[in-house]
C-alpha cells in the first residue's frame, strides 16, 4: 500500500467513524423533552460545533473538486468527465445538497485551497493565492472555529484591497473578525465586516454606496398557481423610504410605536383581521394607485392603473356565473365583478351570447370625480364600522347594484368603502340599506342569523359638527 493509499484509507475510516457516531445520537423527540434548559442549550451549542466541523470538511472536499474541474482542464476535468457541466453541479449532485450550498462550499473551499497551494498540473509552478488576505479564514475553518456561513459573511463584507486599503489591513481585519465570529451569527458578522471596511476605507463609502444603488431592481413574475410575485431589491436610501411607509402601515401590529394623536387609527390597524403581510400588501397597492392617479408623468398613459373586466351580460344581470380579468388566466367570481364595477379605475366589458362586446363604456355606471368629492365630504372615509381609511383610499359602492338592482349612480345610493371592506361586502354578501339620509349595514345570516342592522356614521368630524350646530 502506497502512502497515498494509506492516507485515503485513514480519511475514509475517520469519516466513517464520525458518521457512525452521529448515527448513535438519539433522535427520539420525547427524550429531548425530558432535558432541562441548561442541557438543551449545551446541546444546541455542540450541534453548532458539529455542523462547523462537517461544513469545514465539506468545503475542503468541494474546493478540491473544483480544482480538479478547472475550466482549463476542459473535458479532462473531473466535473466534465463525470457528466456534470460545472464543479458546483458536481458537488450538488454528489453531496445531494442545494446549488446555493454547493456554490458556498466551493467559494469557501477555494480559500482553504489557496492557503495550501499546489503545483500547477501543466507548469509545475505554485499558484499564487487570489485572495491571500483571507488566509485567517482558511485556518479558522480547518480548526472548526469558523463556520462556512461565517467565512462567507466575512469575505463578502470585507471586499477586496484598494488603493487605500492594503492586503495587510484586510488580513488583520479578517483575523479580528474570526475572533468576533465566536459571539455573532453570520448576518450580524456580515454587518460587522461591512462596518469594519467602512472604518478602514472611508473614502470608498461613496463608491460602495453607488454600487449598492446600481443593484436595485424590481421584477414582476406571474406564477403558475394564478398568483403573482413582486421581487423588489432596494438600495439603502430607497429602503429607508419604503421602511418608513411599512412601519407606519403595520407598526401597531408588530408591537411598534403607537401615536397618541392617532390612537384610533393605531387601534384600528392593531385590530384589523388581515395578517400583517396582507395588510402591508393592501396598503402598498393603495399607495401605488393613489400615486399614479396624482402623478402619472413617469408612466405610459395617464391616471391610476386601469384593469379590464370581461363578463357575460346575462351573468351580470342575474348575479351568477363568473368573469375574468384581461391578461390574467384565472376566472373571478361574479361578486368580484360586481365590486369592480363600482370602482372608477376599471373598464367593464360585457358580451352577448354570441361573444360580441355590447358595452365598452363606463361613464354611466361609475361615479364621476365630482360625485366622489361629494361622497368624500359626506362620509369622511370608509363608512364601515371602526375603519379609519381616508377618502383617498376608498371606492364608491352602489348600495343598489347596477345590474342586480338596476341601481342608479347617484350620491344618495352610494357610499365610500376601502378596498378591503368593499371586497368584504360583495364577497360575503353584506348589504347596505338607506333610510332617507341614514345608512344601515346588514350582516349576512351566517354572521348574524337575525341580521340586525348596524347604523353607519360619517367619519367626517367637520360634517358632524355642522349637523350638531344645525340641530341645536
Amino acid at each position: 500500500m502506497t502512502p497515498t493509499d494509506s492516507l485515503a484509507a485513514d480519511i475514509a475510516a475517520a469519516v466513517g467513524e464520525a458518521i457512525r457516531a452521529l448515527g448513535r445520537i438519539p433522535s427520539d423527540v420525547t427524550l429531548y423533552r425530558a432535558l432541562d434548559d441548561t442541557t438543551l442549550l449545551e446541546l444546541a451549542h455542540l450541534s453548532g460545533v458539529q455542523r462547523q466541523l462537517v461544513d469545514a470538511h465539506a468545503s475542503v472536499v468541494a474546493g478540491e473538486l473544483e480544482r480538479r474541474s478547472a475550466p482549463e482542464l476542459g473535458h479532462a476535468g473531473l466535473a466534465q468527465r463525470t457528466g456534470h457541466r460545472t464543479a458546483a453541479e458536481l458537488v450538488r449532485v454528489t453531496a445531494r445538497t442545494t446549488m446555493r450550498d454547493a456554490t458556498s462550499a466551493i467559494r469557501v473551499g477555494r480559500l482553504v485551497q489557496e492557503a495550501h497551494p499546489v503545483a500547477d498540473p501543466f507548469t509545475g509552478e505554485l499558484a499564487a493565492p487570489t485572495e491571500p488576505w483571507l488566509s485567517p479564514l482558511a485556518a479558522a475553518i480547518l480548526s472548526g472555529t469558523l463556520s462556512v456561513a461565517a467565512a462567507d459573511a466575512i469575505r463578502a463584507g470585507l471586499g477586496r484591497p484598494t488603493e487605500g486599503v492594503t492586503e495587510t489591513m484586510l488580513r488583520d481585519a479578517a483575523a479580528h473578525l474570526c475572533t468576533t465570529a465566536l459571539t455573532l451569527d453570520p448576518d450580524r458578522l456580515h454587518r460587522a465586516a461591512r462596518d469594519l471596511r467602512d472604518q478602514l476605507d472611508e473614502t470608498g463609502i461613496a463608491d460602495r454606496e453607488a454600487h449598492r444603488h446600481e443593484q436595485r431592481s424590481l421584477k414582476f413574475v406571474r406564477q403558475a398557481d394564478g398568483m403573482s410575485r413582486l421581487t423588489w431589491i432596494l438600495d439603502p436610501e430607497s429602503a429607508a423610504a419604503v421602511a418608513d411607509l411599512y412601519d407606519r402601515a403595520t407598526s401597531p401590529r408588530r408591537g411598534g410605536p403607537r401615536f397618541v394623536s392617532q390612537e384610533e387609527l393605531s387601534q384600528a390597524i392593531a385590530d384589523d383581521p388581515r395578517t400583517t403581510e396582507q395588510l402591508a400588501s393592501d396598503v402598498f397597492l393603495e399607495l401605488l394607485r393613489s400615486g399614479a392617479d396624482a402623478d402619472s408623468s413617469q408612466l405610459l398613459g395617464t391616471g391610476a392603473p386601469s384593469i379590464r373586466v370581461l363578463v357575460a351580460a346575462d351573468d351580470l344581470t342575474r348575479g351568477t356565473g363568473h368573469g375574468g380579468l384581461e391578461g390574467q388566466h384565472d376566472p373571478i367570481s361574479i361578486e368580484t365583478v360586481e365590486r369592480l364595477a363600482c370602482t372608477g379605475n376599471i373598464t367593464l366589458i360585457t358580451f352577448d351570447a354570441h361573444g360580441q362586446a355590447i358595452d365598452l363604456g363606463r361613464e354611466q355606471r361609475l361615479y364621476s370625480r365630482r360625485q366622489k368629492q361629494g361622497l368624500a365630504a359626506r362620509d369622511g372615509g370608509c363608512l364601515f364600522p371602526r375603519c379609519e381609511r381616508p377618502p383617498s383610499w376608498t371606492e364608491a359602492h352602489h348600495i343598489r347594484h347596477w345590474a342586480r338592482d338596476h341601481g342608479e349612480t347617484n350620491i344618495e345610493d352610494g357610499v365610500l368603502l376601502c378596498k378591503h371592506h368593499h371586497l368584504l361586502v360583495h364577497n360575503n354578501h353584506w348589504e347596505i340599506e338607506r333610510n332617507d339620509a341614514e345608512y344601515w349595514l346588514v350582516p349576512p345570516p351566517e354572521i348574524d342569523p337575525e341580521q340586525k342592522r348596524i347604523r353607519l356614521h360619517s367619519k367626517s368630524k367637520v360634517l358632524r359638527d355642522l349637523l350638531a350646530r344645525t340641530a341645536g
Side-chain angles (χ1 to χ4, degrees), residues 399-417:
I399 65 174
R400 298 182 67 245
H401 295 188
W402 176 268
R404 187 193 69 183
D405 306 323
H406 303 290
E408 297 182 0
T409 304
N410 54 48
I411 292 180
E412 291 81 3
D413 287 331
V415 297
L416 293 185
L417 296 173

Side-chain angles (χ1 to χ4, degrees), residues 5-49:
D5 292 337
S6 177
L7 178 60
D10 289 344
I11 293 176
V15 172
E17 177 56 32
I19 292 174
R20 286 189 292 274
L22 290 174
R24 290 193 294 270
I25 297 176
S27 57
D28 186 349
V29 175
T30 58
L31 296 178
Y32 290 86
R33 290 176 179 170
L35 299 177
D36 58 74
D37 291 349
T38 302
T39 303
L40 191 61
L41 289 172
E42 178 62 18
L43 285 177
H45 169 70
L46 292 175
S47 296
V49 175

Side-chain angles (χ1 to χ4, degrees), residues 244-260 262-272 276 279 389:
D244 179 70
L245 295 173
Y246 180 83
D247 288 342
R248 286 159 61 187
T250 65
S251 180
R253 296 290 297 277
R254 299 180 291 111
R258 300 168 68 93
F259 302 96
V260 176
Q262 294 182 293
E263 184 60 32
E264 288 187 7
L265 177 57
S266 293
Q267 190 60 48
I269 293 174
D271 295 340
D272 196 294
T276 301
L279 181 62
R389 294 302 184 200

